[in-house]
């Protein structure tokens, strides 16, 4: 009986689903041809669109049916349902992984993003995507690379450059990187856009949007519509000249607003005469990825120093610059010893961060930037009123501000407002991960509603926060007391600076300076408490 009912439901809903996706696919293909600068190439691409659409539809329908059928009749909360659901999660994650690799492009970005959504998607999806999406991106052939270089610069790679390695050193979802040497003898990194990206990105986005919306109409419990906004906001502009300009602006901001750490953050210099919208030639810099602990230590650098610098650099961007690199996963941040050779108190080399892939940045307007800084200040100091006030300002609402605070910190509300020094520290243990997944499952509908109502810029801050957390956990094997202290200091400084700019009267400025002194005193006390806690743990181990 169960099988017959499921098959009946499956047939009816699948017909509707495939009809809707087919109609959407036709519109997508027509739009591509009409808007393309190269109709012949686009017609060729459009022959692949129906196949990609069919592949998407079959995968999505198979996943939806697997959940509907496999869990049919199993009581909520039962051991059997939990076991079967975990198996379905794993099967579905593998199907989605296969789809991402076959389609490439923004699908890889989608998979990478899912790998960071520990607060929402099941652990099976996070683990499977995390294990594969950053290191198994598609590679364009050398003939395709040669075609891009010739079209963009008017000559083959071996003509434009003195040397050009045909084997890429890295490949990402949107482009790949080759090592070359200019005729002046300088070693450079050449970033080449995958040939299919420009025309397929819009079609792929439209297809994903269609499938997610259709699935929600047919299976109301399957509500990932918020993901559409996240994908759209997370897609970098497919123009490498924007990326180059972003890197320059980022470095200028550190010089202007954060001169005290400007020499510790670096972006490769751009060769503008060799760069176009699809080709980016940069200074080549060698160094380990930010999560490569063994190599970092071999360089004489302390991973703890790297974690603190990473936290400070991105806190400065978010709370002071208002111009944020929003894709800081491990492959986009390298580490090298500070070129000046300066060392720390105990003789350890000081690190310098090399920021790569500047395609995805977001501007925060002053109001959003200060509200976000005030929220993090409230989180660090366990100020429930400030957390609520600024969460509401950022769009979470009076009813979901506690959940918003939990997603930002990965801690339950009772821990968020706990006045203890280490209330926000996540050790990264199996127990922490299990607790997180339990909350994600328990509050799934509230989380999706929160993500639906938050502004897109805040969704992107969540993504950035997730990337930084993953990197810091790999560096520290858990989160660090010091990194939270850094976030507290930079967010507090940003709030105080904003108040000083808004208040010109002598009395107001005196009161603000007193507030700044009080904040510094609190941070100093927290620092002493952290040291004592660290000493206590060392003595007990």
């Amino acid at each position: 009986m169960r099988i017959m009912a499921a098959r009946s439901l499956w047939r009816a809903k699948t017909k509707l689903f495939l009809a809707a996706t087919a109609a959407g696919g036709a519109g997508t293909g027509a739009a591509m041809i009409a808007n393309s600068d190269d109709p012949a190439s686009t017609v060729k691409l459009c022959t692949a669109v129906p196949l990609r659409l069919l592949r998407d539809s079959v995968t999505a329908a198979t996943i939806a049916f697997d959940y509907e059928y496999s869990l049919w009749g199993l009581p909520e909360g039962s051991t059997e349902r939990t076991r079967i659901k975990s198996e379905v999660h794993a099967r579905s994650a593998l199907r989605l992984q296969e789809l991402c690799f076959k389609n490439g492009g923004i699908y890889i970005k989608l998979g990478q993003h899912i790998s960071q959504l520990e607060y929402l998607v099941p652990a099976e999806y996070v683990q499977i995507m995390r294990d594969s999406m950053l290191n198994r991106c598609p590679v364009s052939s050398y003939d395709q690379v040669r075609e891009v270089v010739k079209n963009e610069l008017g000559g083959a790679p071996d003509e434009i450059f003195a040397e050009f390695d045909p084997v890429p050193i890295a490949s990402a979802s949107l482009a790949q990187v080759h090592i070359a040497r200019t005729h002046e003898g300088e070693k450079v990194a050449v970033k080449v856009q995958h040939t299919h990206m420009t025309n397929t990105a819009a079609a792929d986005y439209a297809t994903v949007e269609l499938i997610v919306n259709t699935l929600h109409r047919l299976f109301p419990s399957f509500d990932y519509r918020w993901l559409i906004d996240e994908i759209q906001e997370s897609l970098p502009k497919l123009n490498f000249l924007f990326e180059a300009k972003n890197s320059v602006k980022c470095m200028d901001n550190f010089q202007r607003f954060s001169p005290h750490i400007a020499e510790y953050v670096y972006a490769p210099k751009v060769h503008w005469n060799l760069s176009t919208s699809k080709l980016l030639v940069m200074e080549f810099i060698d160094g380990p990825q930010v999560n490569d602990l063994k190599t970092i230590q071999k360089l004489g650098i302390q991973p703890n120093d790297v974690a603190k610098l990473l936290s400070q650099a991105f806190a400065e961007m978010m709370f002071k610059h208002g111009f944020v690199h929003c894709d800081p996963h491990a492959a986009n941040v390298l580490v090298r010893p500070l070129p000046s050779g300066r060392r720390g108190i105990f003789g350890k080399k000081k690190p310098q961060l090399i920021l790569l892939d500047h395609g995805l940045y977001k501007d925060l307007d002053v109001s959003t930037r200060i509200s976000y800084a005030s929220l993090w200040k409230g989180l660090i100091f366990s100020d429930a009123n400030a957390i609520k006030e600024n969460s509401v300002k950022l769009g979470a609402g009076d009813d979901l501000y506690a959940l918003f605070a939990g997603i930002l910190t990965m801690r339950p509300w009772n821990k968020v407002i706990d006045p203890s020094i280490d209330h926000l520290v996540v050790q990264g243990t199996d127990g922490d991960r299990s607790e997180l997944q339990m909350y994600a499952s328990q509050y799934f509908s509230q989380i999706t509603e929160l993500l639906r109502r938050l502004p897109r810029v805040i969704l992107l801050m969540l993504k950035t926060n997730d990337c930084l957390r993953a990197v810091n956990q790999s560096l520290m094997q858990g989160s660090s007391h010091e990194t939270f202290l850094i976030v507290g200091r930079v967010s507090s400084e940003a709030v105080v600076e904003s108040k000083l700019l808004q208040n010109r009267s002598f009395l107001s400025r005196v009161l603000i300076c007193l507030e700044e002194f009080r904040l510094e005193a609190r941070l100093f006390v927290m620092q002493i408490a952290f040291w004592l806690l660290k000493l206590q743990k060392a003595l007990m181990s």
Side-chain angles (χ1 to χ4, degrees):
M1 193 70 182
R2 172 186 170 189
I3 295 174
M4 290 177 63
R7 284 177 177 169
S8 177
L9 176 69
W10 166 250
R11 282 194 297 268
K13 291 190 172 181
T14 301
K15 286 178 182 177
L16 285 170
F17 178 71
L18 293 176
T21 52
T28 299
M32 286 175 62
I33 295 172
N35 296 323
S36 176
D37 295 328
D38 185 359
S41 298
T42 306
V43 168
K44 182 179 177 181
L45 280 169
C46 282
T47 62
V49 168
L51 177 61
R52 293 162 75 86
L53 179 61
L54 179 62
R55 190 184 292 146
D56 294 353
S57 303
V58 170
T59 301
T62 302
I63 290 173
F65 176 70
D66 198 356
Y67 279 103
E68 289 283 322
Y69 174 71
S70 299
L71 301 178
W72 191 297
L74 297 177
E76 283 286 350
S78 66
T79 304
E80 179 70 2
R81 183 181 178 91
T82 301
R83 182 183 66 81
I84 295 297
K85 183 183 283 188
S86 178
E87 292 175 0
V88 178
H89 287 334
R91 288 196 299 269
S92 300
L94 288 170
R95 290 183 184 116
L96 187 58
Q97 177 197 63
E98 183 182 6
L99 175 70
C100 290
F101 283 132
K102 283 183 177 178
N103 283 353
I106 72 165
Y107 289 86
I108 300 292
K109 281 288 182 188
L110 172 63
Q112 290 173 349
H113 189 50
I114 289 173
S115 74
Q116 294 154 357
L117 295 176
E118 289 181 296
Y119 55 82
L120 184 60
V121 301
E124 292 83 355
Y125 284 87
V126 172
Q127 194 58 51
I128 287 171
M129 294 299 176
R130 187 171 288 175
D131 289 345
S132 60
M133 284 296 146
L134 291 178
N135 300 313
R136 286 176 52 194
C137 292
V139 177
S140 293
S141 68
Y142 181 63
D143 286 341
Q144 291 171 317
V145 170
R146 181 184 173 87
E147 180 186 352
V148 173
V149 174
K150 190 170 183 178
N151 288 342
E152 296 299 306
L153 298 179
D158 54 358
E159 296 171 344
I160 301 298
F161 300 95
E163 298 174 15
F164 189 94
D165 190 341
V167 180
I169 59 168
S171 183
S173 56
L174 308 180
Q176 62 191 50
V177 179
H178 294 256
I179 294 178
R181 194 172 296 276
T182 66
H183 289 291
E184 291 73 34
E186 183 178 353
K187 192 175 184 180
V188 292
V190 183
K191 186 174 180 178
V192 185
Q193 192 175 110
H194 292 313
T195 53
H196 66 278
M197 277 308 305
T198 304
N199 284 321
T200 61
D204 287 343
Y205 172 78
T207 301
V208 173
E209 181 178 31
L210 174 70
I211 288 173
V212 170
N213 286 333
T214 304
L215 279 172
H216 175 65
R217 285 194 293 271
L218 299 179
F219 306 97
S221 61
F222 187 95
D223 190 1
Y224 281 83
R225 290 173 295 171
W226 56 270
L227 191 58
I228 301 302
D229 287 340
E230 288 232 24
I231 294 172
Q232 185 180 50
E233 202 65 29
S234 297
L235 276 178
K237 291 182 174 68
L238 297 176
N239 184 330
F240 287 164
L241 294 178
F242 284 115
E243 178 176 339
K245 291 174 183 175
N246 285 343
S247 70
V248 172
K249 183 176 178 179
C250 177
M251 293 299 97
D252 286 346
N253 283 344
F254 274 101
Q255 292 290 341
R256 291 174 58 203
F257 304 120
S258 309
H260 54 292
I261 66 163
E263 71 169 314
Y264 297 94
V265 184
Y266 189 79
K269 288 185 172 61
V270 176
H271 287 251
W272 294 97
N273 61 319
L274 295 173
S275 297
T276 71
S277 63
K278 297 180 182 179
L279 199 70
L280 182 60
V281 180
M282 304 161 286
E283 167 189 11
F284 177 81
I285 298 178
D286 195 16
Q289 292 185 6
V290 72
N291 63 347
D292 187 351
L293 266 69
K294 289 183 178 179
T295 307
I296 288 172
Q297 290 171 327
K298 284 180 181 177
L299 291 173
I301 298 171
Q302 292 277 48
N304 185 54
D305 291 339
V306 177
K308 289 190 288 186
L309 177 57
L310 184 74
S311 296
Q312 182 164 10
F314 278 84
E316 298 276 343
M317 279 192 254
M318 287 187 282
F319 305 138
K320 292 186 177 181
H321 305 179
F323 186 65
V324 187
H325 186 310
C326 291
D327 201 15
H329 61 71
N332 285 343
V333 185
L334 305 182
V335 180
R336 69 176 178 181
L338 193 64
S340 66
R342 193 179 308 169
R343 293 175 180 261
I345 298 175
F346 300 106
K348 286 288 184 181
K349 294 179 182 177
K350 290 193 173 184
Q352 184 184 62
L353 299 180
I354 310 299
L355 301 183
L356 307 177
D357 196 349
H358 297 265
L360 183 59
Y361 272 73
K362 195 64 185 176
D363 283 298
L364 300 179
D365 61 58
V366 174
S367 175
T368 301
R369 177 171 62 83
I370 298 305
S371 293
Y372 195 56
S374 300
L375 172 57
W376 270 104
K377 174 174 166 281
L379 290 168
I380 300 301
F381 292 123
S382 307
D383 186 341
N385 291 330
I387 293 170
K388 180 177 181 179
E389 177 186 346
N390 290 288
S391 294
V392 170
K393 285 181 180 178
L394 292 170
D398 288 319
D399 54 334
L400 295 178
Y401 71 90
L403 184 62
F404 184 37
I407 288 176
L408 282 171
T409 61
M410 306 293 270
R411 307 301 285 154
W413 178 248
N414 65 312
K415 291 286 187 182
V416 170
I417 58 174
D418 187 335
S420 62
I421 296 298
D422 59 347
H423 69 292
L424 295 182
V425 173
V426 181
Q427 299 298 339
T429 63
D430 289 339
D432 278 339
R433 281 188 284 271
S434 297
E435 182 182 39
L436 184 62
Q437 288 299 325
M438 180 190 72
Y439 280 111
S441 176
Q442 185 177 352
Y443 296 106
F444 178 81
S445 60
Q446 293 95 324
I447 293 173
T448 54
E449 170 58 21
L450 173 65
L451 296 175
R452 185 196 63 78
R453 68 171 67 165
L454 286 173
R456 289 180 177 181
V457 64
I458 299 302
L459 291 179
L460 212 47
M461 291 303 101
L462 288 178
K463 176 184 183 291
T464 305
N465 197 38
D466 295 337
C467 287
L468 292 172
R469 182 186 296 111
V471 171
N472 268 324
Q473 285 183 350
S474 64
L475 281 168
M476 307 299 299
Q477 305 302 308
S479 55
S480 163
H481 303 91
E482 289 96 336
T483 57
F484 283 115
L485 196 65
I486 289 166
V487 171
R489 172 166 281 110
V490 178
S491 60
S492 297
E493 289 172 355
V495 172
V496 168
E497 288 170 8
S498 173
K499 288 181 179 179
L500 286 172
L501 287 173
Q502 293 173 5
N503 294 275
R504 298 292 183 181
S505 71
F506 176 75
L507 180 59
S508 295
R509 294 177 77 86
V510 168
L511 292 174
I512 293 169
C513 288
L514 288 174
E515 179 187 355
E516 183 178 17
F517 177 79
R518 183 175 61 85
L519 287 171
E520 283 295 333
R522 289 185 68 181
L523 288 166
F524 178 74
V525 170
M526 289 176 72
Q527 180 70 76
I528 297 297
F530 283 153
W531 286 339
L532 292 175
L533 187 61
K534 202 172 182 179
L535 178 62
Q536 181 186 26
K537 288 182 177 179
L539 292 174
M540 291 175 64
S541 60

